[in-house]
Amino acid sequence: MQGSSRYSLSGVSLFRGLDPDDLRNLEQRCRWRTYREDEQVIDHQSPGREVFFIVSGRCQVVIFARSGRYICFDDLTTGQYFGAIAAIDGLPRSASVVAATDSLIASMAPEVFSSTLEQHPSVTMTLLGEFGRIIRVSNERIVELSIHGAPYRVQTELLRLARTAMVNEQTAMLSPAPVHSDIASRVSTTRETVARVFGDLTRQGLLRKAPGTLYVKDVPKLAELVAAYREV
């Protein structure tokens, strides 16, 4: 299995500084599995401590409520990873992760992950940088939920998504197009509110829909709208 280029960790951001021999050694110590769309990879509050690396596909980090509603914290795509917090602190999982598409995922035992951090400082520094990013984003979202209204939160989330999918200095292409319910779960509002905000932005000429794709036609202008909301 590890002899195939398909089963490679070379695209994982955490390991970009490793030489090929070290990378092959880690690949041989991973378990490899394909998860089908909507299949749960890890469960909130479960005791597992493995770390997971997305080799291909896309996953969502979520927490489900007893009512059936859920909060989506993040979309993870090819090259990203999850499960590192539990591997380090030994506590139950802080969220569930569900495959949003068919996904090939490698899992690494916690002891292998710990030894990798000890032996490769570049991996440790990359992980610390990612933890810092998570803390900053979490702080920003706490402020948004505490102070700003739902239209601002929807626009801010759309701006975040757009900035990761720029095709030139002005335009972003979101493909697949974000689902209204996913946006709503991220910013603690309703699908109807998301649809209303998207409709307003479309009438202003900032959004354009195409089959399976949403174009943000003027990302700088969207950023100006978000900044104006923040100043109110």
Side-chain angles (χ1 to χ4, degrees):
M1 180 179 293
Q2 285 77 12
S4 168
S5 59
R6 182 184 179 216
Y7 297 94
S8 171
L9 297 175
S10 60
V12 174
S13 59
L14 190 63
F15 301 133
R16 282 181 183 151
L18 295 186
D19 65 45
D21 288 339
D22 289 330
L23 199 61
R24 278 192 294 270
N25 178 57
L26 290 181
E27 291 165 356
Q28 293 167 2
R29 302 177 74 181
C30 286
R31 296 177 60 189
W32 301 78
R33 176 179 167 184
T34 297
Y35 291 82
R36 299 304 176 191
E37 182 178 353
D38 294 328
E39 186 175 357
Q40 187 164 281
V41 184
I42 60 175
D43 187 22
H44 182 215
Q45 294 296 318
S46 64
R49 294 182 57 210
E50 297 89 353
V51 183
F52 297 83
F53 307 95
I54 304 174
V55 177
S56 65
R58 182 169 63 89
C59 296
Q60 289 187 322
V61 183
V62 299
I63 290 182
F64 295 96
R66 291 184 179 180
S67 64
R69 292 186 61 186
Y70 67 95
I71 300 172
C72 179
F73 292 97
D74 204 359
D75 275 313
L76 303 175
T77 59
T78 299
Q80 294 185 282
Y81 54 93
F82 55 92
I85 294 175
I88 292 171
D89 65 17
L91 297 177
R93 300 293 190 185
S94 58
S96 297
V97 176
V98 178
T101 64
D102 289 356
S103 302
L104 176 62
I105 297 177
S107 61
M108 182 180 291
E111 58 272 15
V112 176
F113 185 69
S114 295
S115 66
T116 301
L117 296 181
E118 293 172 359
Q119 296 170 16
H120 301 284
S122 65
V123 176
T124 304
M125 293 305 298
T126 300
L127 182 67
L128 290 175
E130 178 65 11
F131 283 173
R133 183 195 68 83
I134 291 171
I135 292 170
R136 289 179 183 274
V137 170
S138 298
N139 287 344
E140 290 173 2
R141 292 194 172 183
I142 290 171
V143 172
E144 290 166 9
L145 290 170
S146 302
I147 298 176
H148 299 293
Y152 168 86
R153 299 199 302 271
V154 173
Q155 290 188 2
T156 299
E157 184 61 27
L158 180 61
L159 180 61
R160 285 194 187 105
L161 294 173
R163 283 173 167 165
T164 67
M166 302 295 292
V167 295
N168 55 48
E169 292 183 357
Q170 184 167 344
T171 305
M173 182 179 72
L174 302 177
S175 183
V179 179
H180 288 179
S181 58
D182 286 346
I183 297 288
S185 71
R186 287 171 178 265
V187 300
S188 190
T189 189
T190 64
R191 287 177 294 179
E192 292 76 14
T193 298
V194 176
R196 185 167 61 252
V197 173
F198 276 32
D200 290 342
L201 294 174
T202 300
R203 285 187 289 275
Q204 294 176 52
L206 293 181
L207 298 184
R208 181 173 68 84
K209 295 180 181 179
T213 302
L214 179 68
Y215 291 92
V216 184
K217 298 172 64 177
D218 194 336
V219 176
K221 179 63 175 179
L222 178 59
E224 290 178 10
L225 291 178
V226 169
Y229 261 115
R230 191 180 293 124
E231 293 171 0
V232 173

